[in-house]
Amino acid sequence: MIPAAALAARAANDGPDTVRGKLVRRPGKPPALDTSAGLVALEGDSETVAVLGDDRLAGADMEFRGQRLAPDRFRIGPFFESKSMFVHRGGKQYTISYWCDICSIRTYTPGKCMCCQEETHITFQEYPPQ
């Protein structure tokens, strides 16, 4: 019992697990990350799953923070509690959001603007902000 308790205490101090790779979408299967160790199935809350389902992110170099459930399964951290999803481009890290040019409304999941009902555009903000 002591070794398990020590391992749990160490894990709590290390912070969230991270995984990085290319986002892949496969028909009939959950989104996955193609990593150097193979495919890792991704899961998360409904907002996270909505972002993972955005076709504009397919093939993107992404990093997720959360909990490794198994070597081939990863649960992304709660969407509104912490920064847990990032896109990497040109040596920089970015958060993902969605913007309506007509109403100037920012949202954090893809879809139609809550005001004008036009489709929102994906945007990336450097993280941490410079």
Side-chain angles (χ1 to χ4, degrees):
M1 269 181 80
I2 293 173
L7 182 61
R10 193 192 83 165
N13 292 332
D14 287 347
D17 296 325
T18 62
V19 64
R20 183 173 171 182
K22 300 275 185 206
L23 183 63
V24 295
R25 303 210 3 176
R26 304 163 296 159
K29 295 187 178 186
L33 207 57
D34 189 3
T35 71
S36 59
L39 283 181
V40 176
L42 300 169
E43 52 190 81
D45 57 25
S46 60
E47 292 85 2
T48 298
V49 171
V51 174
L52 294 175
D54 188 340
D55 289 332
R56 296 169 286 192
L57 290 172
D61 178 7
M62 299 195 70
E63 176 184 340
F64 301 106
R65 295 179 185 167
Q67 180 183 16
R68 186 173 290 280
L69 303 173
D72 62 346
R73 275 183 63 217
F74 192 88
R75 179 179 296 130
I76 300 166
F79 192 80
F80 288 111
E81 290 181 22
S82 63
K83 299 287 185 201
S84 56
M85 291 192 291
F86 301 94
V87 172
H88 289 266
R89 290 182 171 172
K92 294 183 179 182
Q93 179 172 275
Y94 299 89
T95 59
I96 304 159
S97 65
Y98 297 86
W99 179 255
C100 176
D101 290 330
I102 297 166
C103 304
S104 298
I105 294 175
R106 182 170 309 283
T107 61
Y108 295 93
T109 56
K112 296 186 181 296
C113 173
M114 64 184 85
C115 180
C116 70
Q117 296 300 299
E118 290 295 319
E119 196 67 31
T120 55
H121 302 285
I122 193 168
T123 62
F124 304 98
Q125 293 80 41
E126 192 171 344
Y127 187 83
Q130 299 297 316

